Amino acid sequence: MTKKTVAPVPAPAKTKLPVRQPTIALALGGGGARGLAHILVLEAFDEMGLRPKIIAGVSIGAIFGAAYASGLSGKEIRAHATEVLKKRFDLVRDLISARVRAERRIWNPLSIGSAFLAPDTLLDIILPKRIARDFAHLDIPLKIVASDFYAQEPAIFSAGPLRQAIAASMALPVVFEPVVVGGRVFIDGGLVNPLPFDIIAGEADLTVAIDVSGSPLRRAGRAKPKAWEALFASSFIFERTIIKEKLRSRQPDVYIDAGTSRYQLLDFLKIEEILTAATPAKERFKAQLARVLEAETLEILEAIEPPPPAKDVRRLKRLTRPRLLRRRRSRKS
């Protein structure tokens, strides 16, 4: 009796699957005029052909995060910011006079009856017309951090009117009036979470954090800071402390210090200087993000193990079944 030879089963052809692009969660920190550096990071995303899956922002990071999530490109945000800060003289006058009043009122605290600027009024001037009115209308999901004044805890806005959330997040004491939403009083979110990468951790494959908090620098030929400089810088000192403590317990995949420490809270008129100072940070960001994306993509490729086509599985079962039956019969005999 001749034995039947069974033809070997051909190995299933490998199917090339489209490589999934790793997703990115972006956190934009607070830092006053130093936060103009965020514009360069948003430009970098556009230049690399990337788009965040979700954004978290606080204070000025909430402003630029809202603009980008509304569909504006980094270049459009730069052009709008430059136009606002160079051509709208009413805003220029308000910012300069705020600095003058700050220096004067420090020496006469009894005269402080109200803040220098109303956040809503300022937002009417600085926000682009194309910015969404509600979180539901954003192209990219957004979370905005503010500080609940009486509850003494962070508050996260992710739904409802967008403008009031931004106003609450940027309401730095003394400079801006507190913002009341739903009976709760809010002030600047940077006082509780100046770099909110933790609130979007796990929302994407990668987490990116842009730190613009900076730190005070010693002025040449000056033994100590002016009173108003110390007042405004004090908030950045403890914000920086908060960030350092957060980084000890948890780190984002990409962390960038924008390198704009020497600029003050209200140095918005120095926009070109700040953008120039932050350009090296932009290049570091692009290089670091490219490396992390490459490593993450390799991990995704290694995890892909396509199953054999269904018809090959059925053929394999038909060919191997007689062998299994013969083995069972031999065991019984």
Side-chain angles (χ1 to χ4, degrees), residues 107-320:
W107 301 110
N108 188 11
L110 295 179
S111 67
I112 300 179
S114 61
F116 304 144
L117 298 171
D120 291 335
T121 302
L122 186 62
L123 289 178
D124 289 337
I125 300 171
I126 67 173
L127 286 184
K129 299 298 183 185
R130 288 170 49 195
I131 201 164
R133 292 185 174 274
D134 194 279
F135 280 89
H137 303 150
L138 293 172
D139 295 341
I140 302 173
L142 175 67
K143 293 184 178 182
I144 292 178
V145 181
S147 302
D148 189 313
F149 182 75
Y150 290 110
Q152 303 176 48
E153 62 185 14
I156 300 174
F157 292 86
S158 58
L162 184 60
R163 185 182 296 261
Q164 69 178 14
I166 299 173
S169 182
M170 61 178 280
L172 185 66
V174 181
V175 178
F176 296 108
E177 297 174 352
V179 174
V180 180
V181 179
R184 300 168 67 186
V185 179
F186 297 100
I187 58 175
D188 192 285
L191 301 175
V192 290
N193 195 346
L195 189 58
F197 63 87
D198 53 312
I199 69 172
I200 51 174
E203 300 266 5
D205 297 319
L206 302 173
T207 303
V208 172
I210 310 301
D211 183 3
V212 294
S213 61
S215 57
L217 294 180
R218 187 179 296 276
R219 303 284 178 173
R222 190 187 300 173
K224 59 182 180 180
K226 292 182 179 180
W228 66 269
E229 288 178 331
L231 173 64
F232 290 137
S234 61
S235 64
F236 292 115
I237 291 174
F238 63 75
E239 286 178 7
R240 191 71 165 181
T241 302
I242 293 173
I243 292 173
K244 287 181 179 179
E245 290 300 319
K246 286 178 62 176
L247 291 174
R248 287 179 182 175
S249 59
R250 173 186 292 177
Q251 293 186 347
D253 297 286
V254 176
Y255 167 83
I256 295 294
D257 188 322
T260 52
S261 298
R262 65 179 176 272
Y263 297 98
Q264 299 298 318
L265 174 74
L266 298 177
D267 277 345
F268 289 98
L269 302 186
K270 298 180 180 179
I271 178 173
E272 294 300 337
E273 290 183 35
I274 293 173
L275 293 178
T276 300
T279 298
K282 173 185 177 181
E283 298 307 316
R284 290 197 310 273
F285 167 71
K286 292 174 69 173
Q288 189 173 341
L289 181 58
R291 288 195 300 269
V292 174
L293 282 172
E294 182 179 3
E296 184 71 17
T297 302
L298 287 174
E299 290 183 7
I300 292 175
L301 282 171
E302 291 173 356
I304 295 176
E305 188 69 34
K311 60 180 182 180
D312 291 336
V313 174
R314 290 195 296 269
R315 183 180 178 188
L316 180 63
K317 288 182 178 179
R318 287 197 302 270
L319 293 173
T320 56

